mmCIF file with all atom_site columns, all heavy atoms in Angstrom:
data_model
loop_
_atom_site.group_PDB
_atom_site.id
_atom_site.type_symbol
_atom_site.label_atom_id
_atom_site.label_alt_id
_atom_site.label_comp_id
_atom_site.label_asym_id
_atom_site.label_entity_id
_atom_site.label_seq_id
_atom_site.pdbx_PDB_ins_code
_atom_site.Cartn_x
_atom_site.Cartn_y
_atom_site.Cartn_z
_atom_site.occupancy
_atom_site.B_iso_or_equiv
_atom_site.pdbx_formal_charge
_atom_site.auth_seq_id
_atom_site.auth_comp_id
_atom_site.auth_asym_id
_atom_site.auth_atom_id
_atom_site.pdbx_PDB_model_num
ATOM 1   N N   . THR A 1 1  ? 46.615 -66.525 -18.847 1.00 39.00 ? 1  THR A N   1
ATOM 2   C CA  . THR A 1 1  ? 47.999 -67.117 -18.758 1.00 39.00 ? 1  THR A CA  1
ATOM 3   C C   . THR A 1 1  ? 47.898 -68.445 -19.499 1.00 39.00 ? 1  THR A C   1
ATOM 4   O O   . THR A 1 1  ? 46.839 -69.095 -19.706 1.00 39.00 ? 1  THR A O   1
ATOM 5   C CB  . THR A 1 1  ? 48.189 -67.506 -17.248 1.00 39.00 ? 1  THR A CB  1
ATOM 6   O OG1 . THR A 1 1  ? 47.253 -68.342 -16.791 1.00 39.00 ? 1  THR A OG1 1
ATOM 7   C CG2 . THR A 1 1  ? 48.264 -66.197 -16.416 1.00 39.00 ? 1  THR A CG2 1
ATOM 8   N N   . LEU A 1 2  ? 49.102 -68.951 -19.944 1.00 44.00 ? 2  LEU A N   1
ATOM 9   C CA  . LEU A 1 2  ? 49.187 -70.133 -20.706 1.00 44.00 ? 2  LEU A CA  1
ATOM 10  C C   . LEU A 1 2  ? 50.259 -70.866 -19.884 1.00 44.00 ? 2  LEU A C   1
ATOM 11  O O   . LEU A 1 2  ? 51.332 -70.458 -19.596 1.00 44.00 ? 2  LEU A O   1
ATOM 12  C CB  . LEU A 1 2  ? 49.699 -69.916 -22.136 1.00 44.00 ? 2  LEU A CB  1
ATOM 13  C CG  . LEU A 1 2  ? 49.891 -71.177 -22.948 1.00 44.00 ? 2  LEU A CG  1
ATOM 14  C CD1 . LEU A 1 2  ? 48.477 -71.851 -23.222 1.00 44.00 ? 2  LEU A CD1 1
ATOM 15  C CD2 . LEU A 1 2  ? 50.411 -70.729 -24.216 1.00 44.00 ? 2  LEU A CD2 1
ATOM 16  N N   . SER A 1 3  ? 49.895 -72.058 -19.374 1.00 44.00 ? 3  SER A N   1
ATOM 17  C CA  . SER A 1 3  ? 50.824 -72.857 -18.600 1.00 44.00 ? 3  SER A CA  1
ATOM 18  C C   . SER A 1 3  ? 50.888 -74.268 -18.992 1.00 44.00 ? 3  SER A C   1
ATOM 19  O O   . SER A 1 3  ? 49.820 -74.772 -19.530 1.00 44.00 ? 3  SER A O   1
ATOM 20  C CB  . SER A 1 3  ? 50.505 -72.695 -17.156 1.00 44.00 ? 3  SER A CB  1
ATOM 21  O OG  . SER A 1 3  ? 49.150 -73.162 -16.870 1.00 44.00 ? 3  SER A OG  1
ATOM 22  N N   . VAL A 1 4  ? 51.918 -74.947 -18.632 1.00 50.00 ? 4  VAL A N   1
ATOM 23  C CA  . VAL A 1 4  ? 52.024 -76.350 -18.890 1.00 50.00 ? 4  VAL A CA  1
ATOM 24  C C   . VAL A 1 4  ? 52.154 -77.104 -17.584 1.00 50.00 ? 4  VAL A C   1
ATOM 25  O O   . VAL A 1 4  ? 52.876 -76.720 -16.738 1.00 50.00 ? 4  VAL A O   1
ATOM 26  C CB  . VAL A 1 4  ? 53.206 -76.729 -19.776 1.00 50.00 ? 4  VAL A CB  1
ATOM 27  C CG1 . VAL A 1 4  ? 53.488 -78.215 -19.955 1.00 50.00 ? 4  VAL A CG1 1
ATOM 28  C CG2 . VAL A 1 4  ? 53.217 -76.036 -21.154 1.00 50.00 ? 4  VAL A CG2 1
ATOM 29  N N   . ILE A 1 5  ? 51.219 -78.051 -17.418 1.00 49.00 ? 5  ILE A N   1
ATOM 30  C CA  . ILE A 1 5  ? 51.313 -78.790 -16.195 1.00 49.00 ? 5  ILE A CA  1
ATOM 31  C C   . ILE A 1 5  ? 51.570 -80.277 -16.522 1.00 49.00 ? 5  ILE A C   1
ATOM 32  O O   . ILE A 1 5  ? 50.753 -80.910 -17.260 1.00 49.00 ? 5  ILE A O   1
ATOM 33  C CB  . ILE A 1 5  ? 49.893 -78.733 -15.474 1.00 49.00 ? 5  ILE A CB  1
ATOM 34  C CG1 . ILE A 1 5  ? 49.737 -77.311 -15.069 1.00 49.00 ? 5  ILE A CG1 1
ATOM 35  C CG2 . ILE A 1 5  ? 49.870 -79.528 -14.120 1.00 49.00 ? 5  ILE A CG2 1
ATOM 36  C CD1 . ILE A 1 5  ? 48.205 -76.971 -14.667 1.00 49.00 ? 5  ILE A CD1 1
ATOM 37  N N   . CYS A 1 6  ? 52.634 -80.888 -16.008 1.00 47.00 ? 6  CYS A N   1
ATOM 38  C CA  . CYS A 1 6  ? 52.850 -82.302 -16.322 1.00 47.00 ? 6  CYS A CA  1
ATOM 39  C C   . CYS A 1 6  ? 52.729 -83.050 -15.038 1.00 47.00 ? 6  CYS A C   1
ATOM 40  O O   . CYS A 1 6  ? 53.239 -82.804 -13.976 1.00 47.00 ? 6  CYS A O   1
ATOM 41  C CB  . CYS A 1 6  ? 54.259 -82.409 -16.886 1.00 47.00 ? 6  CYS A CB  1
ATOM 42  S SG  . CYS A 1 6  ? 54.526 -81.690 -18.448 1.00 47.00 ? 6  CYS A SG  1
ATOM 43  N N   . ILE A 1 7  ? 51.961 -84.121 -15.110 1.00 43.00 ? 7  ILE A N   1
ATOM 44  C CA  . ILE A 1 7  ? 51.765 -85.041 -13.943 1.00 43.00 ? 7  ILE A CA  1
ATOM 45  C C   . ILE A 1 7  ? 52.188 -86.400 -14.452 1.00 43.00 ? 7  ILE A C   1
ATOM 46  O O   . ILE A 1 7  ? 51.662 -86.946 -15.374 1.00 43.00 ? 7  ILE A O   1
ATOM 47  C CB  . ILE A 1 7  ? 50.309 -85.114 -13.561 1.00 43.00 ? 7  ILE A CB  1
ATOM 48  C CG1 . ILE A 1 7  ? 49.737 -83.668 -13.175 1.00 43.00 ? 7  ILE A CG1 1
ATOM 49  C CG2 . ILE A 1 7  ? 50.058 -85.966 -12.410 1.00 43.00 ? 7  ILE A CG2 1
ATOM 50  C CD1 . ILE A 1 7  ? 48.292 -83.551 -13.224 1.00 43.00 ? 7  ILE A CD1 1
ATOM 51  N N   . PHE A 1 8  ? 53.308 -86.905 -13.747 1.00 42.00 ? 8  PHE A N   1
ATOM 52  C CA  . PHE A 1 8  ? 53.784 -88.104 -14.242 1.00 42.00 ? 8  PHE A CA  1
ATOM 53  C C   . PHE A 1 8  ? 53.461 -89.252 -13.277 1.00 42.00 ? 8  PHE A C   1
ATOM 54  O O   . PHE A 1 8  ? 53.344 -89.084 -12.024 1.00 42.00 ? 8  PHE A O   1
ATOM 55  C CB  . PHE A 1 8  ? 55.331 -88.010 -14.345 1.00 42.00 ? 8  PHE A CB  1
ATOM 56  C CG  . PHE A 1 8  ? 55.725 -87.055 -15.390 1.00 42.00 ? 8  PHE A CG  1
ATOM 57  C CD1 . PHE A 1 8  ? 56.106 -85.766 -14.987 1.00 42.00 ? 8  PHE A CD1 1
ATOM 58  C CD2 . PHE A 1 8  ? 55.748 -87.388 -16.680 1.00 42.00 ? 8  PHE A CD2 1
ATOM 59  C CE1 . PHE A 1 8  ? 56.558 -84.877 -16.045 1.00 42.00 ? 8  PHE A CE1 1
ATOM 60  C CE2 . PHE A 1 8  ? 56.146 -86.555 -17.581 1.00 42.00 ? 8  PHE A CE2 1
ATOM 61  C CZ  . PHE A 1 8  ? 56.468 -85.247 -17.343 1.00 42.00 ? 8  PHE A CZ  1
ATOM 62  N N   . GLY A 1 9  ? 53.276 -90.385 -13.834 1.00 38.00 ? 9  GLY A N   1
ATOM 63  C CA  . GLY A 1 9  ? 52.885 -91.528 -13.049 1.00 38.00 ? 9  GLY A CA  1
ATOM 64  C C   . GLY A 1 9  ? 52.478 -92.638 -14.028 1.00 38.00 ? 9  GLY A C   1
ATOM 65  O O   . GLY A 1 9  ? 52.906 -92.612 -15.154 1.00 38.00 ? 9  GLY A O   1
ATOM 66  N N   . ALA A 1 10 ? 51.650 -93.561 -13.544 1.00 35.00 ? 10 ALA A N   1
ATOM 67  C CA  . ALA A 1 10 ? 51.201 -94.676 -14.386 1.00 35.00 ? 10 ALA A CA  1
ATOM 68  C C   . ALA A 1 10 ? 50.492 -94.223 -15.764 1.00 35.00 ? 10 ALA A C   1
ATOM 69  O O   . ALA A 1 10 ? 50.720 -94.821 -16.762 1.00 35.00 ? 10 ALA A O   1
ATOM 70  C CB  . ALA A 1 10 ? 50.361 -95.595 -13.659 1.00 35.00 ? 10 ALA A CB  1
ATOM 71  N N   . THR A 1 11 ? 49.752 -93.128 -15.627 1.00 36.00 ? 11 THR A N   1
ATOM 72  C CA  . THR A 1 11 ? 49.116 -92.544 -16.821 1.00 36.00 ? 11 THR A CA  1
ATOM 73  C C   . THR A 1 11 ? 49.577 -91.140 -17.158 1.00 36.00 ? 11 THR A C   1
ATOM 74  O O   . THR A 1 11 ? 48.812 -90.321 -17.398 1.00 36.00 ? 11 THR A O   1
ATOM 75  C CB  . THR A 1 11 ? 47.644 -92.584 -16.599 1.00 36.00 ? 11 THR A CB  1
ATOM 76  O OG1 . THR A 1 11 ? 47.336 -91.746 -15.508 1.00 36.00 ? 11 THR A OG1 1
ATOM 77  C CG2 . THR A 1 11 ? 47.096 -93.956 -16.429 1.00 36.00 ? 11 THR A CG2 1
ATOM 78  N N   . GLY A 1 12 ? 50.979 -90.937 -17.070 1.00 42.00 ? 12 GLY A N   1
ATOM 79  C CA  . GLY A 1 12 ? 51.481 -89.634 -17.161 1.00 42.00 ? 12 GLY A CA  1
ATOM 80  C C   . GLY A 1 12 ? 50.828 -88.731 -18.193 1.00 42.00 ? 12 GLY A C   1
ATOM 81  O O   . GLY A 1 12 ? 50.536 -89.125 -19.317 1.00 42.00 ? 12 GLY A O   1
ATOM 82  N N   . THR A 1 13 ? 50.480 -87.531 -17.767 1.00 43.00 ? 13 THR A N   1
ATOM 83  C CA  . THR A 1 13 ? 49.797 -86.663 -18.772 1.00 43.00 ? 13 THR A CA  1
ATOM 84  C C   . THR A 1 13 ? 50.534 -85.270 -18.689 1.00 43.00 ? 13 THR A C   1
ATOM 85  O O   . THR A 1 13 ? 51.087 -84.912 -17.666 1.00 43.00 ? 13 THR A O   1
ATOM 86  C CB  . THR A 1 13 ? 48.320 -86.522 -18.451 1.00 43.00 ? 13 THR A CB  1
ATOM 87  O OG1 . THR A 1 13 ? 48.154 -85.986 -17.170 1.00 43.00 ? 13 THR A OG1 1
ATOM 88  C CG2 . THR A 1 13 ? 47.602 -87.748 -18.599 1.00 43.00 ? 13 THR A CG2 1
ATOM 89  N N   . CYS A 1 14 ? 50.348 -84.496 -19.762 1.00 48.00 ? 14 CYS A N   1
ATOM 90  C CA  . CYS A 1 14 ? 50.728 -83.060 -19.717 1.00 48.00 ? 14 CYS A CA  1
ATOM 91  C C   . CYS A 1 14 ? 49.591 -82.285 -20.222 1.00 48.00 ? 14 CYS A C   1
ATOM 92  O O   . CYS A 1 14 ? 48.867 -82.627 -21.149 1.00 48.00 ? 14 CYS A O   1
ATOM 93  C CB  . CYS A 1 14 ? 51.950 -82.793 -20.732 1.00 48.00 ? 14 CYS A CB  1
ATOM 94  S SG  . CYS A 1 14 ? 53.507 -82.896 -20.040 1.00 48.00 ? 14 CYS A SG  1
ATOM 95  N N   . ILE A 1 15 ? 49.263 -81.184 -19.457 1.00 46.00 ? 15 ILE A N   1
ATOM 96  C CA  . ILE A 1 15 ? 48.158 -80.387 -19.879 1.00 46.00 ? 15 ILE A CA  1
ATOM 97  C C   . ILE A 1 15 ? 48.698 -78.964 -20.116 1.00 46.00 ? 15 ILE A C   1
ATOM 98  O O   . ILE A 1 15 ? 49.397 -78.420 -19.302 1.00 46.00 ? 15 ILE A O   1
ATOM 99  C CB  . ILE A 1 15 ? 47.181 -80.386 -18.739 1.00 46.00 ? 15 ILE A CB  1
ATOM 100 C CG1 . ILE A 1 15 ? 46.617 -81.784 -18.449 1.00 46.00 ? 15 ILE A CG1 1
ATOM 101 C CG2 . ILE A 1 15 ? 46.011 -79.420 -19.052 1.00 46.00 ? 15 ILE A CG2 1
ATOM 102 C CD1 . ILE A 1 15 ? 45.929 -81.952 -17.144 1.00 46.00 ? 15 ILE A CD1 1
ATOM 103 N N   . ILE A 1 16 ? 48.336 -78.434 -21.221 1.00 49.00 ? 16 ILE A N   1
ATOM 104 C CA  . ILE A 1 16 ? 48.591 -76.980 -21.498 1.00 49.00 ? 16 ILE A CA  1
ATOM 105 C C   . ILE A 1 16 ? 47.322 -76.278 -21.310 1.00 49.00 ? 16 ILE A C   1
ATOM 106 O O   . ILE A 1 16 ? 46.249 -76.533 -21.943 1.00 49.00 ? 16 ILE A O   1
ATOM 107 C CB  . ILE A 1 16 ? 49.231 -76.750 -22.915 1.00 49.00 ? 16 ILE A CB  1
ATOM 108 C CG1 . ILE A 1 16 ? 50.545 -77.429 -22.915 1.00 49.00 ? 16 ILE A CG1 1
ATOM 109 C CG2 . ILE A 1 16 ? 49.367 -75.241 -23.124 1.00 49.00 ? 16 ILE A CG2 1
ATOM 110 C CD1 . ILE A 1 16 ? 51.226 -77.331 -24.287 1.00 49.00 ? 16 ILE A CD1 1
ATOM 111 N N   . SER A 1 17 ? 47.273 -75.277 -20.424 1.00 46.00 ? 17 SER A N   1
ATOM 112 C CA  . SER A 1 17 ? 45.948 -74.616 -20.108 1.00 46.00 ? 17 SER A CA  1
ATOM 113 C C   . SER A 1 17 ? 46.155 -73.140 -20.486 1.00 46.00 ? 17 SER A C   1
ATOM 114 O O   . SER A 1 17 ? 47.242 -72.553 -20.191 1.00 46.00 ? 17 SER A O   1
ATOM 115 C CB  . SER A 1 17 ? 45.586 -74.888 -18.727 1.00 46.00 ? 17 SER A CB  1
ATOM 116 O OG  . SER A 1 17 ? 46.581 -74.297 -17.811 1.00 46.00 ? 17 SER A OG  1
ATOM 117 N N   . ALA A 1 18 ? 45.071 -72.662 -20.963 1.00 45.00 ? 18 ALA A N   1
ATOM 118 C CA  . ALA A 1 18 ? 44.844 -71.228 -21.258 1.00 45.00 ? 18 ALA A CA  1
ATOM 119 C C   . ALA A 1 18 ? 43.742 -70.785 -20.304 1.00 45.00 ? 18 ALA A C   1
ATOM 120 O O   . ALA A 1 18 ? 42.615 -71.183 -20.451 1.00 45.00 ? 18 ALA A O   1
ATOM 121 C CB  . ALA A 1 18 ? 44.554 -70.891 -22.684 1.00 45.00 ? 18 ALA A CB  1
ATOM 122 N N   . ASN A 1 19 ? 43.998 -70.010 -19.348 1.00 45.00 ? 19 ASN A N   1
ATOM 123 C CA  . ASN A 1 19 ? 43.142 -69.564 -18.283 1.00 45.00 ? 19 ASN A CA  1
ATOM 124 C C   . ASN A 1 19 ? 42.788 -68.166 -18.473 1.00 45.00 ? 19 ASN A C   1
ATOM 125 O O   . ASN A 1 19 ? 43.650 -67.279 -18.582 1.00 45.00 ? 19 ASN A O   1
ATOM 126 C CB  . ASN A 1 19 ? 43.664 -69.855 -16.930 1.00 45.00 ? 19 ASN A CB  1
ATOM 127 C CG  . ASN A 1 19 ? 43.921 -71.319 -16.680 1.00 45.00 ? 19 ASN A CG  1
ATOM 128 O OD1 . ASN A 1 19 ? 43.131 -72.244 -17.072 1.00 45.00 ? 19 ASN A OD1 1
ATOM 129 N ND2 . ASN A 1 19 ? 45.179 -71.563 -16.163 1.00 45.00 ? 19 ASN A ND2 1
ATOM 130 N N   . ALA A 1 20 ? 41.540 -67.886 -18.463 1.00 42.00 ? 20 ALA A N   1
ATOM 131 C CA  . ALA A 1 20 ? 41.051 -66.415 -18.478 1.00 42.00 ? 20 ALA A CA  1
ATOM 132 C C   . ALA A 1 20 ? 40.439 -66.048 -17.126 1.00 42.00 ? 20 ALA A C   1
ATOM 133 O O   . ALA A 1 20 ? 39.703 -66.824 -16.598 1.00 42.00 ? 20 ALA A O   1
ATOM 134 C CB  . ALA A 1 20 ? 40.148 -66.208 -19.641 1.00 42.00 ? 20 ALA A CB  1
ATOM 135 N N   . ALA A 1 21 ? 40.709 -64.899 -16.684 1.00 44.00 ? 21 ALA A N   1
ATOM 136 C CA  . ALA A 1 21 ? 40.088 -64.472 -15.397 1.00 44.00 ? 21 ALA A CA  1
ATOM 137 C C   . ALA A 1 21 ? 38.732 -63.755 -15.702 1.00 44.00 ? 21 ALA A C   1
ATOM 138 O O   . ALA A 1 21 ? 38.740 -62.512 -15.730 1.00 44.00 ? 21 ALA A O   1
ATOM 139 C CB  . ALA A 1 21 ? 41.109 -63.500 -14.700 1.00 44.00 ? 21 ALA A CB  1
ATOM 140 N N   . GLN A 1 22 ? 37.775 -64.585 -16.112 1.00 45.00 ? 22 GLN A N   1
ATOM 141 C CA  . GLN A 1 22 ? 36.440 -64.034 -16.285 1.00 45.00 ? 22 GLN A CA  1
ATOM 142 C C   . GLN A 1 22 ? 35.478 -65.185 -16.275 1.00 45.00 ? 22 GLN A C   1
ATOM 143 O O   . GLN A 1 22 ? 35.796 -66.340 -15.943 1.00 45.00 ? 22 GLN A O   1
ATOM 144 C CB  . GLN A 1 22 ? 36.393 -63.439 -17.598 1.00 45.00 ? 22 GLN A CB  1
ATOM 145 C CG  . GLN A 1 22 ? 36.415 -64.355 -18.762 1.00 45.00 ? 22 GLN A CG  1
ATOM 146 C CD  . GLN A 1 22 ? 36.202 -63.719 -20.188 1.00 45.00 ? 22 GLN A CD  1
ATOM 147 O OE1 . GLN A 1 22 ? 36.555 -62.623 -20.360 1.00 45.00 ? 22 GLN A OE1 1
ATOM 148 N NE2 . GLN A 1 22 ? 35.546 -64.376 -21.048 1.00 45.00 ? 22 GLN A NE2 1
ATOM 149 N N   . SER A 1 23 ? 34.174 -64.916 -16.390 1.00 49.00 ? 23 SER A N   1
ATOM 150 C CA  . SER A 1 23 ? 33.267 -65.961 -16.361 1.00 49.00 ? 23 SER A CA  1
ATOM 151 C C   . SER A 1 23 ? 33.294 -66.813 -17.603 1.00 49.00 ? 23 SER A C   1
ATOM 152 O O   . SER A 1 23 ? 33.929 -66.372 -18.624 1.00 49.00 ? 23 SER A O   1
ATOM 153 C CB  . SER A 1 23 ? 31.830 -65.434 -16.239 1.00 49.00 ? 23 SER A CB  1
ATOM 154 O OG  . SER A 1 23 ? 31.543 -64.535 -17.366 1.00 49.00 ? 23 SER A OG  1
ATOM 155 N N   . LYS A 1 24 ? 32.730 -68.002 -17.727 1.00 63.00 ? 24 LYS A N   1
ATOM 156 C CA  . LYS A 1 24 ? 32.859 -68.896 -18.792 1.00 63.00 ? 24 LYS A CA  1
ATOM 157 C C   . LYS A 1 24 ? 32.199 -68.207 -20.053 1.00 63.00 ? 24 LYS A C   1
ATOM 158 O O   . LYS A 1 24 ? 31.123 -67.580 -19.907 1.00 63.00 ? 24 LYS A O   1
ATOM 159 C CB  . LYS A 1 24 ? 32.068 -70.184 -18.543 1.00 63.00 ? 24 LYS A CB  1
ATOM 160 C CG  . LYS A 1 24 ? 32.898 -71.069 -17.592 1.00 63.00 ? 24 LYS A CG  1
ATOM 161 C CD  . LYS A 1 24 ? 33.995 -71.724 -18.407 1.00 63.00 ? 24 LYS A CD  1
ATOM 162 C CE  . LYS A 1 24 ? 34.839 -72.610 -17.467 1.00 63.00 ? 24 LYS A CE  1
ATOM 163 N NZ  . LYS A 1 24 ? 36.107 -72.994 -18.188 1.00 63.00 ? 24 LYS A NZ  1
ATOM 164 N N   . ASN A 1 25 ? 32.911 -68.387 -21.107 1.00 67.00 ? 25 ASN A N   1
ATOM 165 C CA  . ASN A 1 25 ? 32.522 -67.849 -22.380 1.00 67.00 ? 25 ASN A CA  1
ATOM 166 C C   . ASN A 1 25 ? 32.752 -68.948 -23.499 1.00 67.00 ? 25 ASN A C   1
ATOM 167 O O   . ASN A 1 25 ? 33.631 -68.725 -24.254 1.00 67.00 ? 25 ASN A O   1
ATOM 168 C CB  . ASN A 1 25 ? 33.240 -66.550 -22.750 1.00 67.00 ? 25 ASN A CB  1
ATOM 169 C CG  . ASN A 1 25 ? 32.751 -65.770 -23.938 1.00 67.00 ? 25 ASN A CG  1
ATOM 170 O OD1 . ASN A 1 25 ? 31.667 -66.176 -24.411 1.00 67.00 ? 25 ASN A OD1 1
ATOM 171 N ND2 . ASN A 1 25 ? 33.543 -64.875 -24.419 1.00 67.00 ? 25 ASN A ND2 1
ATOM 172 N N   . THR A 1 26 ? 32.024 -70.015 -23.443 1.00 70.00 ? 26 THR A N   1
ATOM 173 C CA  . THR A 1 26 ? 32.319 -71.183 -24.243 1.00 70.00 ? 26 THR A CA  1
ATOM 174 C C   . THR A 1 26 ? 31.669 -71.178 -25.617 1.00 70.00 ? 26 THR A C   1
ATOM 175 O O   . THR A 1 26 ? 31.965 -71.932 -26.477 1.00 70.00 ? 26 THR A O   1
ATOM 176 C CB  . THR A 1 26 ? 31.954 -72.456 -23.472 1.00 70.00 ? 26 THR A CB  1
ATOM 177 O OG1 . THR A 1 26 ? 30.650 -72.378 -23.135 1.00 70.00 ? 26 THR A OG1 1
ATOM 178 C CG2 . THR A 1 26 ? 32.814 -72.636 -22.304 1.00 70.00 ? 26 THR A CG2 1
ATOM 179 N N   . ASP A 1 27 ? 30.608 -70.291 -25.769 1.00 81.00 ? 27 ASP A N   1
ATOM 180 C CA  . ASP A 1 27 ? 29.988 -70.097 -27.060 1.00 81.00 ? 27 ASP A CA  1
ATOM 181 C C   . ASP A 1 27 ? 30.757 -69.221 -28.006 1.00 81.00 ? 27 ASP A C   1
ATOM 182 O O   . ASP A 1 27 ? 31.342 -68.244 -27.607 1.00 81.00 ? 27 ASP A O   1
ATOM 183 C CB  . ASP A 1 27 ? 28.631 -69.568 -26.936 1.00 81.00 ? 27 ASP A CB  1
ATOM 184 C CG  . ASP A 1 27 ? 27.599 -70.390 -26.148 1.00 81.00 ? 27 ASP A CG  1
ATOM 185 O OD1 . ASP A 1 27 ? 27.792 -71.646 -26.340 1.00 81.00 ? 27 ASP A OD1 1
ATOM 186 O OD2 . ASP A 1 27 ? 26.686 -69.862 -25.439 1.00 81.00 ? 27 ASP A OD2 1
ATOM 187 N N   . PRO A 1 28 ? 30.852 -69.656 -29.303 1.00 84.00 ? 28 PRO A N   1
ATOM 188 C CA  . PRO A 1 28 ? 31.703 -68.840 -30.194 1.00 84.00 ? 28 PRO A CA  1
ATOM 189 C C   . PRO A 1 28 ? 31.059 -67.436 -30.294 1.00 84.00 ? 28 PRO A C   1
ATOM 190 O O   . PRO A 1 28 ? 29.850 -67.306 -30.127 1.00 84.00 ? 28 PRO A O   1
ATOM 191 C CB  . PRO A 1 28 ? 31.559 -69.485 -31.568 1.00 84.00 ? 28 PRO A CB  1
ATOM 192 C CG  . PRO A 1 28 ? 30.804 -70.794 -31.239 1.00 84.00 ? 28 PRO A CG  1
ATOM 193 C CD  . PRO A 1 28 ? 30.251 -70.760 -29.928 1.00 84.00 ? 28 PRO A CD  1
ATOM 194 N N   . PRO A 1 29 ? 31.888 -66.392 -30.576 1.00 88.00 ? 29 PRO A N   1
ATOM 195 C CA  . PRO A 1 29 ? 31.437 -65.061 -30.697 1.00 88.00 ? 29 PRO A CA  1
ATOM 196 C C   . PRO A 1 29 ? 30.363 -65.031 -31.742 1.00 88.00 ? 29 PRO A C   1
ATOM 197 O O   . PRO A 1 29 ? 30.534 -65.615 -32.944 1.00 88.00 ? 29 PRO A O   1
ATOM 198 C CB  . PRO A 1 29 ? 32.730 -64.290 -31.053 1.00 88.00 ? 29 PRO A CB  1
ATOM 199 C CG  . PRO A 1 29 ? 33.755 -65.056 -30.563 1.00 88.00 ? 29 PRO A CG  1
ATOM 200 C CD  . PRO A 1 29 ? 33.400 -66.509 -30.686 1.00 88.00 ? 29 PRO A CD  1
ATOM 201 N N   . ALA A 1 30 ? 29.330 -64.306 -31.509 1.00 89.00 ? 30 ALA A N   1
ATOM 202 C CA  . ALA A 1 30 ? 28.124 -64.226 -32.525 1.00 89.00 ? 30 ALA A CA  1
ATOM 203 C C   . ALA A 1 30 ? 28.712 -63.644 -33.855 1.00 89.00 ? 30 ALA A C   1
ATOM 204 O O   . ALA A 1 30 ? 29.566 -62.787 -33.896 1.00 89.00 ? 30 ALA A O   1
ATOM 205 C CB  . ALA A 1 30 ? 27.138 -63.269 -31.957 1.00 89.00 ? 30 ALA A CB  1
ATOM 206 N N   . MET A 1 31 ? 28.166 -64.228 -34.906 1.00 90.00 ? 31 MET A N   1
ATOM 207 C CA  . MET A 1 31 ? 28.476 -63.791 -36.260 1.00 90.00 ? 31 MET A CA  1
ATOM 208 C C   . MET A 1 31 ? 29.893 -63.964 -36.702 1.00 90.00 ? 31 MET A C   1
ATOM 209 O O   . MET A 1 31 ? 30.375 -63.459 -37.586 1.00 90.00 ? 31 MET A O   1
ATOM 210 C CB  . MET A 1 31 ? 28.100 -62.345 -36.503 1.00 90.00 ? 31 MET A CB  1
ATOM 211 C CG  . MET A 1 31 ? 26.585 -62.054 -36.183 1.00 90.00 ? 31 MET A CG  1
ATOM 212 S SD  . MET A 1 31 ? 25.418 -62.683 -37.258 1.00 90.00 ? 31 MET A SD  1
ATOM 213 C CE  . MET A 1 31 ? 25.563 -61.429 -38.480 1.00 90.00 ? 31 MET A CE  1
#
């Protein structure tokens, strides 16, 4: 899923997140 979360306040931020329903896979694909 891709979603946008905006939290406004003194340090207002917006976060766009891409979430995958699986274990962490942070290393680039081999080769």
Side-chain angles (χ1 to χ4, degrees):
T1 61
L2 181 66
S3 59
V4 177
I5 301 167
C6 293
I7 304 165
F8 296 98
T11 61
T13 60
C14 266
I15 301 166
I16 296 182
S17 64
N19 300 314
Q22 71 170 36
S23 60
K24 285 289 183 188
N25 187 13
T26 56
D27 293 330
M31 309 286 282

